[in-house]
Amino acid sequence: MLIVMRKDATDEQIGAVIEKIRELGFKPHAIPGQQRTAIGITGNPGPVPPEHFELLPGVAQAIPVSQPFKLVSAEIKPERTIVNVGGATIGGESLAVMAGPCSVESEAQILACARAARASGAKFLRGGAFKPRTSPYDFQGLKEEGLKLLALARQETGLKVVTEVMSPNSVDMVARYADMLQVGARNMQNFSLLEAIGEAKRPVLLKRGMSATIKEFLMAAEYIASRGNYDIVLCERGIRTFETMTRNTLDLGAVIMLKQLSHLPVIVDPSHGFGLRFGVIPLARAGVAVGADGLIVEIHPEPEHALSDGPQSLTLPMFQEMMQEIRRVATSVGRRM
Amino acid sequence: MLIVMRKDATDEQIGAVIEKIRELGFKPHAIPGQQRTAIGITGNPGPVPPEHFELLPGVAQAIPVSQPFKLVSAEIKPERTIVNVGGATIGGESLAVMAGPCSVESEAQILACARAARASGAKFLRGGAFKPRTSPYDFQGLKEEGLKLLALARQETGLKVVTEVMSPNSVDMVARYADMLQVGARNMQNFSLLEAIGEAKRPVLLKRGMSATIKEFLMAAEYIASRGNYDIVLCERGIRTFETMTRNTLDLGAVIMLKQLSHLPVIVDPSHGFGLRFGVIPLARAGVAVGADGLIVEIHPEPEHALSDGPQSLTLPMFQEMMQEIRRVATSVGRRM
Amino acid sequence: MLIVMRKDATDEQIGAVIEKIRELGFKPHAIPGQQRTAIGITGNPGPVPPEHFELLPGVAQAIPVSQPFKLVSAEIKPERTIVNVGGATIGGESLAVMAGPCSVESEAQILACARAARASGAKFLRGGAFKPRTSPYDFQGLKEEGLKLLALARQETGLKVVTEVMSPNSVDMVARYADMLQVGARNMQNFSLLEAIGEAKRPVLLKRGMSATIKEFLMAAEYIASRGNYDIVLCERGIRTFETMTRNTLDLGAVIMLKQLSHLPVIVDPSHGFGLRFGVIPLARAGVAVGADGLIVEIHPEPEHALSDGPQSLTLPMFQEMMQEIRRVATSVGRRM
Amino acid sequence: MLIVMRKDATDEQIGAVIEKIRELGFKPHAIPGQQRTAIGITGNPGPVPPEHFELLPGVAQAIPVSQPFKLVSAEIKPERTIVNVGGATIGGESLAVMAGPCSVESEAQILACARAARASGAKFLRGGAFKPRTSPYDFQGLKEEGLKLLALARQETGLKVVTEVMSPNSVDMVARYADMLQVGARNMQNFSLLEAIGEAKRPVLLKRGMSATIKEFLMAAEYIASRGNYDIVLCERGIRTFETMTRNTLDLGAVIMLKQLSHLPVIVDPSHGFGLRFGVIPLARAGVAVGADGLIVEIHPEPEHALSDGPQSLTLPMFQEMMQEIRRVATSVGRRM
């Protein structure tokens, strides 16, 4: 159920609706828009009768929401969301680019990446301090030490730091260092983690699970939103199919569908979407052309010595080349960097 | 690397090998067998030279292990593992049957299920107290209250309790009530959870992820084993494919492959593997015929009123029928109940 | 639309209904049952008004069919079909076993297979004379020479011959030698071939396409039936999924669903369903346990020298072992060989 | 094996090499390049010793080919192929656009499409006269009548006609009317058809099978090439995955990989790749941005009345809009229309 307030509704009227929702035992989510405020209702076990609200002062409409996702649905908020990460935005006309190594390995490595990223126009630095690895015997990340190096790189370059959180217990620690919390593909349905992140005061980058449907992906975002954190960016990073020549199958159709169904920004990860360096730039161009709001890309000063994901990491000169190419494509589709 | 000790190796000789492994900075895992002890080595970044060990007293052989999974590999331990859950076993000649509702809903419901399970010969009671649900607005389980009801049902029936843990934080609480900890399909690569469970002192039921390869499944088991918990049972519960008429595609070929590659017991979940009641009994028969070590099945006194998974839950009389049918199939393949 | 005749309907009344259907420009399919005759209508662009038929003498009911498949639907014919191939049957209480090499290679080879098949109780000899191969440079089969060898083997052993047809042009030639025409997985939606086979006077073995849904599979059978050939046996042979350790993923849930939706017999191919010899016998047992009406299995006197599919072919002694094992499982589920 | 001739090799020397290949019982395929001629060898059961050729006059190199596809491999011919269809080209700098209805329905419909296609700059008219349909009861196309209407539209507009052939028997008939023969996704491994098309004197548009790997796709092209028809254009049209919200999952990574592995042109079908009108233009932009050599798009004057594929057909004004958009993207990636 979505309560749409009249344009001239007063704060008191909005407050009264919120109060009414609480009285009924449900949870109100005020969603201020440019023209008017809407109030989403969650926590209701079944449909809520519109009559409860339609006659309250200031209410324009009470709309039942047909999709199982509500707070993230385009039905509930037709204007597109722009997520603001300490001044750098995702969504809107300009493209957001996040670049950095798969894993933070050393001060020299992360600073080299950060400088190259900033030089080419990226606003965000990615880098894993906690790494989910298929094998327990593989490099698991530098952990808190890695977070400190990311913070150091931010201090020098002004880039916003995006990094993965792997467990509810470490949300607080990661949030101390990072500007944006990443939920990895393997954890997209780790509901305990989603809930903890929903209560954190940090924007979230939510990656699509390897075999998550578009609906499940939006429901995972809904978990986060239902706890009160609405600053969510979705990331298409390739799905698992029968094809094995590429690491994953990048599903750019999903980007279109996600933007149709939801107001959240959507970015694309061409590095995991292909898995080999030579495919990253073409897929980055395609991601921009299809209408994504940004890109997240793995780069490394020496990919051949990377502790993880070397084969898919761009060299720093290749990243510079990528930025030039996507700048041209962005212009051709009415976006800018 | 696997160090196989001679049959007549003394405890001191075994201890000396373990000491040597620690000195080199690696982690020893002693695996006592019926005839001899083997010692797995993990934590080595690359191959370990066999010379380090071959000349030590009591060592029969030092074998490099070619699969990325080591502790769970059939190469390292050719004898099949039998997991003992408080006296009830999984693996070995007799089939283990776990039955119960998807979610624990009430004392009456869980007791009805437990009595029916025991009456038909099941040894384990399943039931979710913490439920991973696609939607944040769906029933999430009774939580600790549900665990208490499971413990109550155990007290009355003597069945062993198997229930899901969803986050590292709740491992201790669940372990206080349950005999066996379940890792759900969505958490198969929740590595923080796997590590916490690896340190728990409870046998584990590890379900295959929806799109996990057989190798990734075994690597998830390896995570648990690498922390010192070797009492792991694998569960094939259907994978996600293009077919949508059935909820999942039960992959019985995987059961064969898992038993070829690993010494761990493997059971089958025909309820999630089909998703509709009428397919559960035939798939249960097939699971037994293919060589699985047991079954986990959803049952409910009134499936039409279940809070979750109603369509795939067997009624209590159907469960009784199932037990009779699989008893006959078990005999035909040289197993017993 | 299905016209169900009364039990006491006369041949003239049946004839009149058929005449009426033709007059309307549609195609009648008389389907005699044990108790009464039903007449399916196809060729109608949309729903046919029941009034056209309900008042004709001898008509009991005019039933709209809700599934897109009609002639093969269990709605239209609740009794299960038994396909008779020159006296050997598929469907019904006894299991049909088809065995033979992937490709016919020589007289010695096919005779060795045929003798071993018969000795263990198989009633059908499979063997490819026209082979669909991924590479144009691989062995493509002995063609007509292979058909002659199959006929020779039939003469000696009395086994019924099942072999693949790859193009509409060769249907007549293959039908001259074979007792049953096989449509391979890659040709399941080769509609020109399905139509030609629908007009042939030979029972058909239709294999499920690698990525065909259950509905598409039944629609392919419907193509054949709509041309007047109702003697169709469906074969589940594994689908393509993300898992690559097994050649395909055998979908035994599909067997259950096919038997629910259709009256046609369903058999299972454990050889292609696993792709490696050691998995064939366990999957054969599972296929019988799940309720399949038979099995088709690749065997070879010397699999290590086979021109195709060697790794998944059973040796002749293994086939004998398989037959003993499935005999026991068959008994346990109320079937016989 | 690939024999690369010296730049200054004479026709006689080339002839001698070809003769030598025939003598050995293999099949030569002369592939003239801009700078030099290469000669592929097929039909060899195993590796051919390079010594047979290296010492012949005019031979520069004898290279063993490691991929199972040979004639279509980029190893054998590093220069990209440009397919010439009666003066209109596919491959090279300029993008090829093919537009038209799913099925040819009437003279008015096909002419409206053809005029709109030409007006916006397309060079090819697509349209199905023989339609592969999942149901035997659906519209199967106008057959030869449809071919005549396509020829009529060509006469008026000068567009080149691309249309599907469904069986070896109809290759000759379709080739009489069409400029380019299409092999549909369902027939990608209909090897009898591929062979017949390999012998036709018409360029071919080969669509990727719904669950065909990139390697299988190239092997299907190899079938055609191995019969002497080298004018092949590959078409990525979406693969079947677990996602059902879009009709297929367009695999733009495959476009990159195909162009890496093969010298053949590759185009993209955004209509089947998404299945709903609103996703076609964005995916068309993405296809151009990723580096495809062209697009094939379904258009219809009145999609709501289309006999097939209405939901994914662009209206004529939308097609005009698409052409304007992709023109801009093409420029941004160094291509032109």
Side-chain angles (χ1 to χ4, degrees):
Chain A
M1 172 70 69
L2 178 72
I3 313 298
V4 182
M5 301 303 291
R6 295 162 50 108
K7 285 189 203 175
D8 56 4
T10 64
D11 283 359
E12 272 167 23
Q13 289 170 338
I14 294 172
V17 169
I18 288 175
E19 194 47 40
K20 175 76 180 169
I21 295 169
R22 290 215 177 96
E23 260 173 43
L24 290 164
F26 308 149
K27 191 168 175 187
H29 297 261
I31 308 166
Q34 279 186 307
Q35 307 230 345
R36 54 174 96 217
T37 289
I39 305 165
I41 302 180
T42 65
N44 45 315
V48 181
E51 311 80 86
H52 282 325
F53 300 99
E54 277 174 339
L55 298 179
L56 293 182
V59 169
Q61 238 184 320
I63 309 170
V65 175
S66 58
Q67 293 283 11
F69 37 91
K70 300 178 181 185
L71 303 174
V72 305
S73 163
E75 285 184 270
I76 217 170
K77 176 165 175 287
E79 301 150 31
R80 304 211 59 79
T81 288
I82 297 181
V83 172
N84 189 319
V85 182
T89 57
I90 307 160
E93 203 192 320
S94 74
L95 290 182
V97 177
M98 307 177 177
C102 174
S103 304
V104 180
E105 296 169 2
S106 69
E107 185 177 324
Q109 175 237 28
I110 194 69
L111 284 178
C113 289
R115 287 168 194 151
R118 193 189 50 181
S120 298
K123 298 277 172 29
F124 297 82
L125 176 65
R126 63 149 290 155
F130 295 86
K131 295 302 304 171
R133 301 302 298 276
T134 301
S135 166
Y137 311 125
D138 286 345
F139 176 60
Q140 310 276 320
L142 294 181
K143 312 211 161 139
E144 189 163 5
E145 185 53 32
L147 296 174
K148 287 179 183 164
L149 293 175
L150 285 166
L152 183 73
R154 168 177 50 204
Q155 208 175 340
E156 191 192 303
T157 59
L159 297 177
K160 307 302 165 194
V161 165
V162 188
T163 197
E164 179 161 357
V165 196
M166 283 179 59
S167 95
N169 301 338
S170 48
V171 169
D172 284 350
M173 189 217 282
V174 176
R176 264 202 303 284
Y177 297 96
D179 301 292
M180 189 172 204
L181 305 176
Q182 178 180 320
V183 177
R186 289 174 185 77
N187 280 319
M188 194 204 81
Q189 289 195 319
N190 178 343
F191 299 120
S192 309
L193 179 62
L194 297 180
E195 287 173 4
I197 286 201
E199 278 156 20
K201 301 284 168 264
R202 279 278 175 274
V204 185
L205 179 65
L206 178 65
K207 300 193 97 176
R208 183 181 185 185
M210 251 174 244
S211 65
T213 62
I214 290 168
K215 192 180 132 189
E216 287 169 342
F217 190 14
L218 289 171
M219 291 309 293
E222 186 79 12
Y223 257 91
I224 298 170
S226 72
R227 295 293 174 120
N229 187 343
Y230 308 122
D231 290 332
I232 305 165
V233 175
L234 304 172
C235 177
E236 161 61 34
R237 44 77 75 200
I239 56 173
R240 179 162 279 181
T241 69
F242 62 82
E243 180 60 66
T244 55
M245 228 182 232
T246 49
R247 182 171 176 185
N248 290 291
T249 299
L250 192 68
D251 181 5
L252 292 181
V255 175
I256 301 166
M257 196 55 95
L258 288 167
K259 297 197 73 163
Q260 179 81 359
L261 295 173
S262 170
H263 53 81
L264 297 176
V266 183
I267 70 169
V268 161
D269 176 348
S271 307
H272 288 85
F274 196 81
L276 295 169
R277 197 169 301 126
F278 73 90
V280 174
I281 297 181
L283 280 186
R285 292 192 311 249
V288 171
V290 92
D293 298 302
L295 298 169
I296 181 165
V297 186
E298 288 184 351
I299 63 176
H300 198 285
E302 295 173 295
E304 64 281 16
H305 297 126
L307 293 182
S308 55
D309 279 358
Q312 73 191 29
S313 298
L314 294 183
T315 61
L316 304 185
M318 284 180 83
F319 176 66
Q320 194 181 3
E321 165 65 18
M322 184 197 95
M323 291 297 275
Q324 288 163 0
E325 295 198 16
I326 64 165
R327 205 177 293 270
R328 287 194 288 270
V329 177
T331 306
S332 81
V333 296
R335 303 293 281 263
R336 53 189 175 72
M337 301 295 286
Chain B
M1 171 71 70
L2 178 72
I3 312 298
V4 183
M5 302 302 292
R6 294 160 51 108
K7 286 189 204 177
D8 56 3
T10 63
D11 283 0
E12 272 166 23
Q13 288 170 338
I14 294 172
V17 169
I18 288 175
E19 194 47 40
K20 173 78 181 168
I21 294 169
R22 290 215 177 97
E23 260 173 44
L24 290 165
F26 308 148
K27 192 168 174 187
H29 296 262
I31 307 165
Q34 280 186 307
Q35 308 230 344
R36 54 173 95 219
T37 290
I39 304 165
I41 302 180
T42 65
N44 46 315
V48 181
E51 311 82 83
H52 283 326
F53 299 99
E54 278 175 339
L55 299 178
L56 292 182
V59 170
Q61 238 185 321
I63 308 170
V65 174
S66 57
Q67 293 283 12
F69 36 92
K70 300 179 182 183
L71 304 174
V72 305
S73 163
E75 286 184 88
I76 218 172
K77 176 166 175 288
E79 302 150 30
R80 302 212 61 78
T81 289
I82 297 180
V83 171
N84 189 319
V85 182
T89 57
I90 307 159
E93 203 192 319
S94 75
L95 290 182
V97 177
M98 308 175 176
C102 174
S103 302
V104 179
E105 296 169 2
S106 69
E107 185 176 326
Q109 175 239 27
I110 194 68
L111 284 179
C113 289
R115 287 166 193 151
R118 194 189 48 182
S120 297
K123 297 275 173 30
F124 296 83
L125 176 65
R126 61 149 291 154
F130 295 87
K131 294 301 306 170
R133 300 302 299 276
T134 301
S135 167
Y137 311 124
D138 286 345
F139 175 61
Q140 310 275 320
L142 295 181
K143 313 216 159 135
E144 189 163 5
E145 185 54 31
L147 295 174
K148 287 179 182 163
L149 293 175
L150 285 167
L152 183 73
R154 169 177 51 203
Q155 208 176 341
E156 192 193 303
T157 59
L159 296 177
K160 307 303 165 194
V161 164
V162 188
T163 197
E164 179 162 356
V165 196
M166 282 180 60
S167 95
N169 302 338
S170 48
V171 169
D172 283 350
M173 188 217 283
V174 176
R176 266 202 303 284
Y177 297 97
D179 300 292
M180 188 172 203
L181 305 176
Q182 178 180 320
V183 177
R186 288 173 186 79
N187 280 320
M188 194 204 81
Q189 290 196 320
N190 178 343
F191 299 121
S192 309
L193 179 62
L194 297 181
E195 286 173 4
I197 286 203
E199 279 156 18
K201 300 284 170 264
R202 281 277 175 274
V204 185
L205 179 64
L206 177 66
K207 299 193 97 177
R208 184 182 184 183
M210 250 173 245
S211 65
T213 61
I214 290 168
K215 193 180 131 189
E216 287 169 343
F217 191 13
L218 289 171
M219 291 309 293
E222 186 81 11
Y223 256 92
I224 298 170
S226 72
R227 295 295 173 118
N229 188 343
Y230 307 123
D231 289 331
I232 306 165
V233 174
L234 305 171
C235 178
E236 162 60 36
R237 46 75 76 201
I239 57 173
R240 179 160 280 180
T241 69
F242 61 82
E243 181 60 65
T244 55
M245 228 182 231
T246 49
R247 181 171 177 186
N248 290 293
T249 300
L250 191 68
D251 182 6
L252 293 180
V255 175
I256 301 166
M257 196 55 95
L258 289 167
K259 297 196 73 164
Q260 179 81 359
L261 296 174
S262 169
H263 53 81
L264 298 176
V266 184
I267 69 170
V268 161
D269 176 348
S271 307
H272 288 85
F274 196 81
L276 295 167
R277 196 170 302 125
F278 74 89
V280 174
I281 298 181
L283 280 186
R285 292 193 311 249
V288 172
V290 93
D293 298 301
L295 298 168
I296 181 164
V297 186
E298 289 184 352
I299 64 176
H300 198 285
E302 297 173 292
E304 63 283 16
H305 296 126
L307 294 182
S308 55
D309 279 357
Q312 74 191 28
S313 299
L314 294 183
T315 61
L316 305 185
M318 284 180 83
F319 176 67
Q320 194 181 4
E321 164 65 17
M322 184 197 94
M323 291 297 275
Q324 288 163 1
E325 295 198 16
I326 63 165
R327 205 176 292 272
R328 287 194 288 270
V329 177
T331 306
S332 81
V333 296
R335 304 291 283 261
R336 53 189 175 71
M337 300 296 286
Chain C
M1 171 71 70
L2 178 72
I3 313 298
V4 183
M5 302 303 292
R6 294 160 52 108
K7 285 188 204 178
D8 56 4
T10 62
D11 283 359
E12 272 166 22
Q13 288 171 338
I14 293 173
V17 170
I18 287 176
E19 194 47 39
K20 174 76 181 168
I21 294 169
R22 290 216 177 95
E23 260 173 41
L24 290 165
F26 308 147
K27 191 168 175 187
H29 298 261
I31 307 165
Q34 280 185 307
Q35 306 231 345
R36 53 173 96 217
T37 289
I39 305 165
I41 302 180
T42 65
N44 46 315
V48 181
E51 310 81 83
H52 283 324
F53 300 98
E54 277 174 340
L55 298 179
L56 292 183
V59 169
Q61 239 184 319
I63 308 170
V65 175
S66 58
Q67 294 283 13
F69 36 91
K70 300 178 181 186
L71 304 174
V72 305
S73 164
E75 286 184 272
I76 216 171
K77 176 165 176 287
E79 302 150 31
R80 303 212 59 81
T81 289
I82 297 180
V83 171
N84 189 320
V85 182
T89 57
I90 307 160
E93 203 192 319
S94 76
L95 290 182
V97 177
M98 307 176 176
C102 174
S103 304
V104 179
E105 296 169 2
S106 69
E107 185 176 325
Q109 175 238 29
I110 194 68
L111 284 178
C113 289
R115 287 167 193 152
R118 193 188 50 180
S120 297
K123 298 276 172 27
F124 297 82
L125 176 65
R126 63 148 291 155
F130 295 86
K131 294 302 304 171
R133 300 303 298 277
T134 301
S135 167
Y137 311 125
D138 286 345
F139 176 60
Q140 310 274 320
L142 294 181
K143 312 209 161 143
E144 190 162 6
E145 185 53 32
L147 296 174
K148 286 179 183 164
L149 294 175
L150 285 166
L152 183 74
R154 169 177 50 204
Q155 209 176 339
E156 191 192 303
T157 59
L159 296 177
K160 306 303 166 194
V161 165
V162 189
T163 197
E164 179 162 356
V165 196
M166 282 179 60
S167 96
N169 301 338
S170 48
V171 169
D172 283 350
M173 188 217 281
V174 176
R176 266 202 304 284
Y177 297 97
D179 300 292
M180 187 172 205
L181 305 176
Q182 178 179 320
V183 178
R186 288 173 186 78
N187 280 319
M188 194 205 81
Q189 290 196 318
N190 178 343
F191 300 120
S192 310
L193 179 61
L194 296 181
E195 286 174 4
I197 286 203
E199 278 155 19
K201 300 283 168 266
R202 280 277 174 275
V204 185
L205 178 64
L206 178 65
K207 299 193 96 175
R208 182 181 185 183
M210 249 172 247
S211 65
T213 62
I214 290 168
K215 192 180 133 190
E216 288 168 343
F217 190 13
L218 289 171
M219 292 309 294
E222 186 80 12
Y223 257 92
I224 298 170
S226 72
R227 296 293 173 119
N229 187 343
Y230 307 122
D231 289 331
I232 305 166
V233 174
L234 305 171
C235 178
E236 161 61 34
R237 44 77 75 201
I239 57 173
R240 179 162 279 180
T241 68
F242 62 82
E243 180 61 65
T244 55
M245 228 181 232
T246 49
R247 182 170 175 185
N248 291 290
T249 299
L250 192 68
D251 182 6
L252 292 180
V255 174
I256 301 166
M257 196 55 95
L258 289 166
K259 297 197 74 164
Q260 179 80 359
L261 296 173
S262 169
H263 53 81
L264 296 176
V266 183
I267 70 169
V268 161
D269 176 349
S271 307
H272 288 84
F274 195 81
L276 295 168
R277 197 170 301 124
F278 73 89
V280 174
I281 297 181
L283 280 186
R285 293 193 310 249
V288 172
V290 92
D293 298 301
L295 299 169
I296 181 165
V297 186
E298 289 184 350
I299 63 176
H300 199 285
E302 295 173 295
E304 64 281 15
H305 297 126
L307 294 182
S308 55
D309 279 357
Q312 73 191 29
S313 298
L314 294 183
T315 61
L316 305 185
M318 284 180 83
F319 176 66
Q320 193 181 4
E321 164 64 17
M322 184 197 94
M323 291 297 275
Q324 288 163 0
E325 295 198 16
I326 64 164
R327 204 177 294 271
R328 287 194 288 269
V329 177
T331 307
S332 80
V333 296
R335 304 291 283 262
R336 53 189 175 72
M337 300 296 288
Chain D
M1 171 71 69
L2 177 73
I3 312 299
V4 183
M5 302 302 291
R6 295 160 51 109
K7 286 188 202 176
D8 56 3
T10 63
D11 283 0
E12 272 167 22
Q13 288 170 338
I14 294 172
V17 169
I18 288 176
E19 194 47 41
K20 174 78 181 169
I21 294 169
R22 291 215 176 95
E23 259 173 44
L24 291 164
F26 308 148
K27 191 165 174 189
H29 296 263
I31 307 166
Q34 281 186 305
Q35 308 230 344
R36 53 173 98 220
T37 289
I39 305 165
I41 302 180
T42 64
N44 46 315
V48 180
E51 310 80 85
H52 283 326
F53 299 99
E54 277 175 340
L55 298 178
L56 291 183
V59 170
Q61 238 185 320
I63 308 170
V65 174
S66 56
Q67 293 283 12
F69 36 92
K70 300 179 182 183
L71 303 174
V72 305
S73 162
E75 286 184 88
I76 218 170
K77 177 166 174 288
E79 300 151 31
R80 302 212 61 78
T81 289
I82 297 180
V83 171
N84 190 320
V85 182
T89 57
I90 307 160
E93 203 192 318
S94 75
L95 290 182
V97 177
M98 308 176 175
C102 175
S103 302
V104 180
E105 296 169 2
S106 69
E107 185 176 324
Q109 175 239 27
I110 194 68
L111 284 178
C113 289
R115 287 167 193 150
R118 193 188 48 181
S120 297
K123 298 276 172 30
F124 297 83
L125 176 66
R126 62 148 291 152
F130 295 86
K131 295 301 306 171
R133 300 303 299 276
T134 301
S135 167
Y137 311 125
D138 285 345
F139 176 61
Q140 310 275 320
L142 294 181
K143 312 215 160 135
E144 189 162 5
E145 186 52 30
L147 295 174
K148 286 179 183 163
L149 293 175
L150 285 166
L152 183 73
R154 170 179 48 204
Q155 208 176 341
E156 191 193 302
T157 59
L159 296 178
K160 308 302 165 194
V161 164
V162 188
T163 197
E164 179 162 356
V165 197
M166 281 179 60
S167 94
N169 302 338
S170 48
V171 169
D172 283 350
M173 189 218 281
V174 176
R176 266 203 304 283
Y177 296 97
D179 300 292
M180 188 172 202
L181 305 176
Q182 179 180 320
V183 178
R186 289 174 185 78
N187 280 320
M188 194 203 81
Q189 290 196 318
N190 177 343
F191 299 120
S192 309
L193 179 61
L194 297 181
E195 287 173 4
I197 286 204
E199 278 156 19
K201 300 283 168 266
R202 280 277 175 275
V204 185
L205 179 63
L206 177 66
K207 299 193 97 177
R208 184 182 184 182
M210 249 173 247
S211 65
T213 61
I214 290 168
K215 192 179 132 188
E216 288 169 343
F217 190 13
L218 288 172
M219 290 310 292
E222 186 80 12
Y223 257 91
I224 297 170
S226 72
R227 295 295 173 118
N229 187 342
Y230 307 122
D231 289 331
I232 305 166
V233 175
L234 305 171
C235 178
E236 162 60 35
R237 45 75 77 201
I239 56 173
R240 179 160 280 180
T241 69
F242 61 83
E243 181 60 66
T244 56
M245 229 181 231
T246 49
R247 182 171 176 184
N248 290 292
T249 300
L250 191 68
D251 181 6
L252 292 180
V255 175
I256 301 166
M257 196 55 95
L258 288 167
K259 298 197 73 163
Q260 179 81 359
L261 295 174
S262 169
H263 53 81
L264 297 176
V266 183
I267 70 170
V268 161
D269 176 347
S271 307
H272 288 85
F274 195 81
L276 294 167
R277 196 169 303 125
F278 73 89
V280 174
I281 297 181
L283 280 186
R285 292 192 312 248
V288 172
V290 93
D293 298 301
L295 298 168
I296 182 165
V297 186
E298 288 184 352
I299 63 176
H300 199 286
E302 297 173 294
E304 63 283 15
H305 297 126
L307 294 181
S308 55
D309 279 356
Q312 73 191 30
S313 297
L314 293 183
T315 62
L316 304 185
M318 284 180 84
F319 176 66
Q320 194 182 4
E321 165 65 16
M322 183 197 94
M323 291 297 275
Q324 287 163 0
E325 295 198 16
I326 63 164
R327 205 177 293 271
R328 288 194 288 270
V329 177
T331 307
S332 80
V333 295
R335 304 292 283 262
R336 53 189 175 70
M337 300 295 287

